[in-house]
Amino acid sequence: MAGRKGREGKEVLESVYSVLALVFILVACVELCDAATVVDVYRLIQYDLAGVPYGSRLASLNHHAGSFPFAPGADLSRTVFVIHFRDLNVTSIQEYITQGQPLGGLLLLLPQKFSPANSEDIEEGGQIHGKDLREILTQLEQLLVHVNIPYPVYFAFEDDKIDAVLADIKKNDAIGQPATATTGGYKFVVSTPEPKKLASATITNIQGWLPGLKADGDSNQLPTIAIVASYDTFGAAAALSVGSDSNGSGVVALLEIARLFSRLYSNPKTRGRYNLLFGLTSGGPYNYNGTLKWLRSFDQRLRESIDYAICLNSIGSWDNDLWIHVSKPPENAYVKQVFEGFSDVAEELGVKVGLKHKKINISNPRVAWEHEQFSRVRITAATLSELSVAPELLESFGGLHDRRHFVNGTAVLRSVKLVAESLARHIYGHQGKNIQIFKDGSNLAVSPSYINSWLDLLSRTPRVAPFLSKNDPFILALKKELEDHTVEVNVQHEVLDGMFTFYDSTSAKLNIYQVASVTFDLLLLLVLGSYLILLFCFLVITTRGLDDLIGLFRRPPSRKVKTA
């Protein structure tokens, strides 16, 4: 009898434990259910410049979501604000950030057409409420990369799911029910370790060489012309900085020029009396730090042989005129020769080319143009660019706005023709003559398919130098391409200037949960508790009887200790 009652009691306890376990699981799931959606997000870059912190300083998120505009006077320290690009007001965001008010986080939604995986045209010419989207994103980027933001800032691309979430958030905010622990709503969660400093940022230069042909009996060293383009980028989001124009267009032009001249130089009859040096340099956004280290690796003999260098930078816009930027005075014989050669070809192509002279200050560490690094070591150089004014430090180097949609393959082809024909006339002594060496339809014609295929690749490839390893597939692809068209290809790995420090954690997964309010939580707990009590009573009555159930709530009789 005692054994049967023991087994019955054990069964009751096991049932109770099972119910309790079920309740605990349900309670744990009250606040968070399955994620409503999962979104790829890209963190605002984090870096230090000479020890001063900039960018977003945090990465993890676990807060409720709110919509723009911000509620005045509200405590937003535990709110992630979602701002759609259509609602972007850079002035309002700037005021909020500069005031230093606490915020749980910021999520900026970009047009899907600005995704590196998308190559369609921007609708309505890129206009949003009468404003140029590129201009808005440029202003936003310049703001975000030059301030210290003590909370997570992420970018994401709009889609149907996240647009639906944002619509719900706006609807709740409009009726005065913003998402909180009390009211419920949406919760944004990014589970990622806090950012760590990159041990050492590496920059990689790639050099290719096409040797010229000496005349019989000539023992003198041949002169050299250098064609240079910086390939790395910088922007508000390292994982999105593809730089289609800056400086993807310059890199593509260099590769096509190398391909064209490799055909000319493969035949001894058409090989010129000039060596051609091709340089794909890194560290462009950081005062062209890689170019400086590359030049320092030259021996004296090579440095003295360089006739001049032409640097290619942002040449993919059809609407803009082209400019030749120089550091030496326009009256300099070499500068005049280069400019006149380019001007003659430009006139034949229907292109306007102007000359911009900016004297460099050796004591100023700021290097605005790549050719200035050549000028500092007394090598004549110029930069060909659609930009009439030098960009500021860490600006206009392939940010959010610099996408494939705004780069015209025909404009790059035009720039390639301009440079290639100008170089060829200089090399073969045809200055001032209307002779087309790279004529359309010939074996030496510029290839639109080659240009567009490389533009497409570069427009899908983020290239922020500190996040590119020495053996990054993109760097290996550039090296292989130069090897196909030049000889003696060399790769140089250097450490980026110590004044720049970068942090990891550039992208993550954002989990968006729809959570219930505290009132709902309490009501659900009350229902579960009532169900548990009823179930417990039912189990005891059916297994042990009503008397045993009542006995559970009786006070046990006191036991008296007998004294001897």
Side-chain angles (χ1 to χ4, degrees):
M1 187 70 170
R4 186 172 65 85
K5 288 185 177 181
R7 287 195 300 272
E8 291 176 349
K10 184 178 180 181
E11 291 174 358
V12 171
L13 289 176
E14 289 176 352
S15 300
V16 171
Y17 291 151
S18 299
V19 173
L20 286 174
L22 176 61
V23 171
F24 289 145
I25 293 173
L26 291 173
V27 170
C29 296
V30 164
E31 185 182 35
L32 296 182
C33 56
D34 290 338
T37 187
V38 179
V39 180
D40 291 320
V41 290
Y42 310 92
R43 193 169 74 97
L44 173 65
I45 197 165
Q46 178 181 353
Y47 69 99
D48 299 338
L49 178 58
V52 180
Y54 292 99
S56 175
R57 311 308 293 185
L58 296 175
S60 61
L61 270 180
N62 190 359
H63 298 305
H64 287 85
S67 63
F68 184 81
F70 311 122
D75 180 13
L76 307 176
S77 59
R78 296 190 61 79
T79 301
V80 180
F81 270 97
V82 188
I83 305 178
H84 199 281
F85 72 98
R86 293 191 183 91
D87 303 323
L88 274 177
N89 187 320
V90 178
T91 303
S92 298
I93 296 176
Q94 181 177 12
E95 291 176 355
Y96 195 89
I97 291 176
T98 53
Q99 289 172 2
Q101 298 184 30
L103 192 66
L106 194 61
L107 176 64
L108 299 163
L109 298 183
L110 302 175
Q112 182 62 236
K113 295 180 183 295
F114 268 50
S115 168
N118 196 307
S119 59
E120 298 177 17
D121 293 332
I122 296 294
E123 293 180 354
E124 302 176 4
Q127 298 291 317
I128 295 180
H129 303 310
K131 297 181 179 179
D132 181 31
L133 177 56
R134 296 182 69 187
E135 181 181 346
I136 294 174
L137 289 179
T138 300
Q139 293 173 358
L140 176 68
E141 194 159 30
Q142 291 174 356
L143 164 66
L144 294 178
V145 299
H146 293 302
V147 293
N148 177 8
I149 304 179
Y151 46 80
V153 178
Y154 282 98
F155 299 91
F157 293 102
E158 62 171 352
D159 59 24
D160 293 340
K161 291 183 178 180
I162 199 166
D163 282 349
V165 169
L166 179 57
D168 281 350
I169 294 172
K170 286 184 174 182
K171 180 180 178 181
N172 293 334
D173 289 350
I175 61 177
Q177 291 184 353
T180 63
T182 303
T183 62
Y186 287 94
K187 176 167 280 192
F188 285 8
V189 178
V190 175
S191 300
T192 184
E194 287 310 311
K196 296 180 181 179
K197 290 182 179 180
L198 297 179
S200 59
T202 303
I203 51 179
T204 301
N205 300 316
I206 309 169
Q207 170 188 307
W209 181 262
L210 274 180
L213 183 65
K214 291 184 179 181
D216 293 338
D218 186 0
S219 60
N220 296 322
Q221 183 177 0
L222 289 178
T224 301
I225 297 176
I227 303 95
V228 187
S230 178
Y231 66 82
D232 61 332
T233 59
F234 182 89
L240 298 177
S241 299
V242 297
S244 299
D245 190 19
S246 178
N247 187 30
S249 60
V251 172
V252 172
L254 181 145
L255 293 176
E256 174 64 349
I257 292 169
R259 188 188 70 84
L260 293 173
F261 276 94
S262 69
R263 292 192 171 189
L264 274 175
Y265 275 47
S266 63
N267 187 342
K269 294 181 180 180
T270 56
R271 186 181 299 177
R273 300 287 189 257
Y274 279 80
N275 301 317
L276 294 180
L277 176 64
F278 295 92
L280 290 167
T281 59
S282 183
Y286 322 109
N287 288 324
Y288 295 97
N289 191 243
T291 309
L292 174 63
K293 296 178 186 295
W294 181 50
L295 291 173
R296 286 177 176 174
S297 70
F298 291 179
D299 58 39
Q300 188 67 22
R301 185 179 174 84
L302 173 58
R303 187 178 301 177
E304 292 177 351
S305 76
I306 297 178
D307 224 8
Y308 67 87
I310 183 71
C311 305
L312 308 175
N313 183 306
S314 302
I315 54 175
S317 174
W318 182 263
D319 298 329
N320 295 344
D321 297 335
L322 291 173
W323 299 91
I324 294 179
H325 299 267
V326 294
S327 299
K328 292 186 176 182
E331 298 79 19
N332 179 277
Y334 276 107
V335 171
K336 287 183 66 176
Q337 184 182 35
V338 172
F339 179 65
E340 288 174 359
F342 274 76
S343 297
D344 290 342
V345 177
E347 186 176 353
E348 297 169 13
L349 296 175
V351 183
K352 291 183 179 180
V353 176
L355 185 66
K356 291 275 187 177
H357 171 236
K358 175 182 170 294
K359 187 177 180 180
I360 63 173
N361 182 358
I362 301 296
S363 61
N364 186 355
R366 175 73 181 111
V367 180
W369 296 105
E370 187 164 19
H371 73 266
E372 293 183 7
Q373 292 290 21
F374 287 84
S375 298
R376 289 170 182 251
V377 295
R378 302 185 181 280
I379 296 176
T380 301
T383 295
L384 179 69
S385 177
E386 68 203 26
L387 303 176
S388 60
V389 180
E392 297 296 325
L393 181 66
L394 301 179
E395 293 182 6
S396 298
F397 284 96
L400 297 172
H401 66 283
D402 192 354
R403 324 308 289 184
R404 179 67 174 92
H405 329 285
F406 301 109
V407 179
N408 191 313
T410 306
V412 178
L413 185 147
R414 170 202 63 176
S415 299
V416 169
K417 278 188 175 181
L418 173 63
V419 177
E421 291 287 358
S422 302
L423 290 177
R425 293 184 187 185
H426 181 84
I427 291 170
Y428 297 106
H430 296 321
Q431 295 95 329
K433 300 177 182 179
N434 188 359
I435 298 176
Q436 289 191 36
I437 296 176
F438 304 101
K439 192 173 183 180
D440 292 343
S442 69
N443 188 41
L444 294 173
V446 180
S447 172
S449 60
Y450 183 88
I451 288 173
N452 285 313
S453 63
W454 270 98
L455 278 176
D456 291 342
L457 174 62
L458 288 161
S459 298
R460 297 192 301 267
T461 309
R463 305 184 301 282
V464 178
F467 302 99
L468 292 176
S469 65
K470 296 179 180 179
N471 296 316
D472 188 272
F474 175 73
I475 291 177
L476 296 179
L478 290 180
K479 178 188 174 187
K480 182 181 183 304
E481 195 64 23
L482 274 187
E483 286 174 339
D484 289 343
H485 306 310
T486 64
V487 298
E488 299 180 31
V489 173
N490 296 316
V491 178
Q492 177 192 29
H493 301 295
E494 296 285 350
V495 176
L496 181 63
D497 193 324
M499 69 183 298
F500 294 95
T501 302
F502 290 87
Y503 295 75
D504 61 9
S505 187
T506 60
S507 60
K509 294 287 186 182
L510 169 66
N511 292 280
I512 301 177
Y513 299 97
Q514 191 166 15
V515 297
S517 65
V518 170
T519 303
F520 177 79
D521 292 353
L522 294 175
L523 180 61
L524 182 59
L525 288 175
L526 179 62
V527 172
L528 290 174
S530 301
Y531 173 75
L532 175 62
I533 293 172
L534 291 174
L535 182 61
F536 176 78
C537 294
F538 173 77
L539 292 173
V540 173
I541 292 172
T542 56
T543 56
R544 302 184 60 182
L546 181 60
D547 291 341
D548 286 347
L549 174 63
I550 296 173
L552 291 175
F553 298 99
R554 288 176 180 168
R555 184 176 180 182
S558 60
R559 295 182 179 179
K560 297 181 179 181
V561 180
K562 295 181 179 182
T563 56

